[in-house]
């Protein structure tokens, strides 16, 4: 499976999903297995998150609609991070028989986190390209957005190179990474004091800087 998991394939997958008119409201692709099903889920929630972040910044709606968007943002962000952890679990399962050498380097960023960044960059590239194609914007806007698009494209290419290197080195036992749980406290009713108690009560005070 890892031989099929390379940066170019992931980037093309991200771009292909974004090009679908009904994305991300379409049903998940049940034919995907292993890390790919979680790459799809991560990309789906990143896309939903992106769209909801735009909605949350509207000034033509009431506070109720903004609050709804904020809650959806929290939900999508949690599911996005859950998918990253599942990507790492799937990849590490494939690497289970590889014993890192004594001088193997520990990569602080996981493969799943890098795929998550590729997903976000694909969204930035997609929407920045839309800006370069606007007919209602002046030439200066188009020029600036074109320059930004070129830089974003280069950033994604560089990230892809680093991702491929991490997987190659991990397969050779020259590098390894671990699953780092996000522990999003604000979404956990047992950890967020505003959910398990009222601010000002014992055990629910805010933290001073």
């Amino acid at each position: 499976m890892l031989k099929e998991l390379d940066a170019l394939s992931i980037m093309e997958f991200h771009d292909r999903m974004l090009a679908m008119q009904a994305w991300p409201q379409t049903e998940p692709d049940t034919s995907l297995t292993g890390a790919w099903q979680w790459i799809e889920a991560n990309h789906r929630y990143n896309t939903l998150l992106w769209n909801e972040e735009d909605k949350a910044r509207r000034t033509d709606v009431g506070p109720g609609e903004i609050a709804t968007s904020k809650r959806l943002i929290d939900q999508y962000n949690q599911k996005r991070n859950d998918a990253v952890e599942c990507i790492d679990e799937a990849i590490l399962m494939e690497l289970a028989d590889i014993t890192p050498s004594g001088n193997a380097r520990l990569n602080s960023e996981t493969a799943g986190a890098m795929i998550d960044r590729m997903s976000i960059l694909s969204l930035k590239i997609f929407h920045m390209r839309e800006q370069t194609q606007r007919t209602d914007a002046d030439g200066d806007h188009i020029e600036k957005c074109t320059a930004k698009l070129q830089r974003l494209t280069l950033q994604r290419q560089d990230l892809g190179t680093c991702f491929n290197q991490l997987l190659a080195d991990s397969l050779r036992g020259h590098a390894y990474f671990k699953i780092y749980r996000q522990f999003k406290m604000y979404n956990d009713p047992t950890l967020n004091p505003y959910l398990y108690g009222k601010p000002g009560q014992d055990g629910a005070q805010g933290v001073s800087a």
Side-chain angles (χ1 to χ4, degrees), residues 23-161:
W23 175 264
Q25 278 71 36
T26 53
E27 292 296 320
D29 185 348
T30 56
S31 68
L32 298 173
T33 59
W36 281 105
Q37 63 179 313
W38 299 112
I39 291 172
E40 193 268 357
N42 170 257
H43 194 42
R44 178 182 299 274
Y45 289 117
N46 271 330
T47 306
L48 289 168
L49 182 59
W50 180 286
N51 295 340
E52 211 59 47
E53 288 278 12
D54 280 350
K55 292 180 183 178
R57 284 156 178 79
R58 291 174 295 174
T59 58
D60 60 340
V61 296
E65 291 191 51
I66 301 303
T68 297
S69 287
K70 291 292 187 181
R71 290 191 178 92
L72 284 172
I73 287 168
D74 278 352
Q75 293 175 24
Y76 296 149
N77 195 40
Q78 182 69 60
K79 291 179 179 180
R80 159 212 175 194
N81 281 286
D82 290 345
V84 169
E85 293 179 7
C86 289
I87 293 170
D88 284 329
E89 288 173 351
I91 293 176
L92 287 173
M93 190 177 297
E94 294 288 327
L95 293 170
D97 294 333
I98 306 295
T99 301
S101 63
N103 60 349
R105 77 177 191 279
L106 170 61
N107 211 66
S108 62
E109 186 174 34
T110 71
M114 296 173 84
I115 292 172
D116 180 57
R117 287 174 57 203
M118 277 190 261
S119 169
I120 295 168
L121 278 167
S122 74
L123 279 158
K124 291 182 177 181
I125 288 169
F126 177 84
H127 290 287
M128 193 63 71
R129 182 175 291 113
E130 284 187 330
Q131 291 298 313
T132 68
Q133 297 168 348
R134 283 175 57 184
T135 58
D136 62 336
D138 60 28
D140 184 58
H141 177 84
I142 302 301
E143 183 179 351
K144 287 179 179 178
C145 289
T146 299
K148 291 176 181 178
L149 177 61
Q150 292 172 348
R151 182 165 298 218
L152 287 168
T153 301
L154 178 59
Q155 288 176 7
R156 189 170 68 159
Q157 290 172 351
D158 289 346
L159 177 58
T161 299

Side-chain angles (χ1 to χ4, degrees), residues 95 98-105 167-176:
L95 293 170
I98 306 295
T99 301
S101 63
N103 60 349
R105 77 177 191 279
L167 284 195
D169 287 347
S170 296
L171 284 167
R172 290 195 296 263
H174 296 167
Y176 65 101

